Amino acid sequence: MKAITIPEPGDASALVLADVPDPQPAPGEVRVRVAAAGVNRADVMQRMGFYPPPPGAPDYPGLEVSGTVDALGDGVDGWSVGDPVCALLSGGGYAELVCVPAEQLLPVPAGVSLQDAAALPEVVSTVWSNVFMTANLLPGQTFLVHGGSSGIGTMAIQLAREVGARVAVTAGSSAKLEACRALGAEILVNYREQDFVAEVRAATGGAGVDVILDNMGAKYLARNVEALAVNGRLVVIGLQGGAKAELDLGLMLRKRVAVIATSLRARPADEKAAIVAAVREHVWPLIEAGRVVPVVHGRYPLADADKAHRELEDSGHVGKILLTT
């Protein structure tokens, strides 16, 4: 099969299309013939040598795909060859074939094309597990997501809106903020021109926000804590702004807030299976009803993975970028 390899870490030109052996499904796994793969920041970090795949995962990047079931490993029930599916992966999505534990498969939702379904598994699993299963965002609460126009952000806005939360976002341009507004965001902050702490305090009568989903890490850590309401929860899922910062524990104690750092890729298989099951139960009906949609910015052939990475790093996109086979 063809797959995107990384012979040496580096810039986008480090991504090399090569012939590699076809993977064979182990017991409990399903092999998927890939139609499309989602492009994520984690793939960029892996390409640069900063985010190696967990033990046992393929060396090729790619954390989510859509396609059709191609082969079944021993002991797999509930799936048949030819089924249209999408899948949450630990790696290997930038390829024509990939093997995945059956518990990390999802059916392609009704009303979503086979290719566009690749925009769903990683972002939906990330948002649902962190914002709802971990931070317990509730109806009537206020939620802030940084990078509201990203793949994660566009999904987080929609799901928070659907549970009845008030949504705040940061983004770097008026066009991106308008895209967030169209998805349901109410509090719009241009981080290039405005202080998000001041803006969310003003919008909440000084109370602050109940849950923050953050991809910046150190750069925003202290300000995120300032922006939290009493009993607020900050969930850090990325380190685009660095890994080390100071925290005011006194402020945290006075507010009784929680700071939680999580990742999805390295979680044990049983945890991923539980997340995927929760997504299928709670989110798939919203997608099939047309209330939540995958936001796809653009598509590139697998051979042009370097171009997809460059567009992602330019940060001009709204929603997901896909690679198609």
Side-chain angles (χ1 to χ4, degrees):
M1 70 171 183
K2 299 286 189 182
I4 294 294
T5 63
I6 308 172
E8 294 290 340
D11 63 16
S13 63
L15 301 173
V16 177
L17 185 67
D19 290 302
V20 300
D22 290 357
Q24 300 302 319
E29 289 187 340
V30 170
R31 189 170 69 186
V32 176
R33 183 165 295 278
V34 176
V39 178
N40 293 286
R41 290 280 175 183
D43 306 336
V44 173
M45 298 299 291
Q46 179 175 339
R47 187 202 76 212
M48 297 171 68
F50 300 134
Y51 195 22
D59 291 333
Y60 327 123
L63 300 180
E64 57 188 343
V65 297
S66 61
T68 54
V69 173
D70 178 77
L72 303 175
D74 292 341
V76 173
D77 295 315
W79 301 101
S80 300
V81 171
D83 284 346
V85 295
C86 52
L88 177 68
L89 309 174
S90 296
Y94 289 18
E96 293 177 328
L97 295 167
V98 67
C99 293
V100 57
E103 291 81 6
Q104 291 169 218
L105 277 185
L106 288 157
V108 171
V112 177
S113 72
L114 184 62
Q115 283 192 356
D116 284 1
L120 291 170
E122 199 271 343
V123 294
V124 175
S125 296
T126 295
V127 172
W128 191 259
S129 63
N130 289 303
V131 177
F132 301 96
M133 297 173 72
T134 297
N136 193 32
L137 180 68
L138 297 173
Q141 293 188 333
T142 303
F143 168 63
L144 168 63
V145 56
H146 291 296
S149 61
S150 67
I152 293 289
T154 54
M155 182 55 63
I157 293 167
Q158 295 180 80
L159 291 180
R161 178 202 70 206
E162 284 301 307
V163 304
R166 187 183 186 196
V167 182
V169 299
T170 62
S173 72
S174 58
K176 287 184 175 182
L177 290 174
E178 284 305 311
C180 294
R181 187 199 301 275
L183 292 171
E186 300 177 46
I187 305 167
L188 310 174
V189 182
N190 186 327
Y191 67 79
R192 300 183 191 277
E193 302 172 356
Q194 298 169 292
D195 175 15
F196 73 81
V197 178
E199 294 299 322
V200 298
R201 281 180 173 169
T204 58
V209 298
D210 299 287
V211 175
I212 299 175
L213 186 64
D214 174 66
N215 61 352
M216 293 301 294
K219 183 177 180 179
Y220 280 6
L221 184 59
R223 294 166 66 205
N224 278 332
V225 172
E226 289 181 32
L228 284 174
V230 172
N231 294 318
R233 291 84 72 196
L234 165 63
V235 185
V236 180
I237 60 169
L239 301 173
Q240 293 182 39
K244 295 184 179 181
E246 291 187 357
L247 271 175
D248 184 343
L249 293 176
L251 179 60
M252 292 179 63
L253 285 168
R254 291 193 297 274
K255 289 188 173 185
R256 302 185 299 280
V257 301
V259 176
I260 307 156
T262 73
S263 66
L264 181 60
R265 185 181 196 181
R267 291 196 190 202
D270 59 343
E271 291 187 22
K272 289 183 181 179
I275 291 168
V276 169
V279 162
R280 185 169 183 175
E281 177 183 357
H282 297 287
V283 182
W284 249 228
L286 297 174
I287 297 172
E288 294 189 329
R291 299 186 60 83
V292 171
V293 298
V295 178
V296 177
H297 177 81
R299 301 168 180 82
Y300 290 86
L302 184 63
D304 290 337
D306 59 331
K307 296 178 181 178
H309 273 223
R310 289 188 181 98
E311 179 158 24
L312 185 73
E313 292 176 285
D314 286 344
S315 297
H317 61 288
V318 173
K320 296 285 293 189
I321 297 171
L322 303 180
L323 294 175
T324 61
T325 60

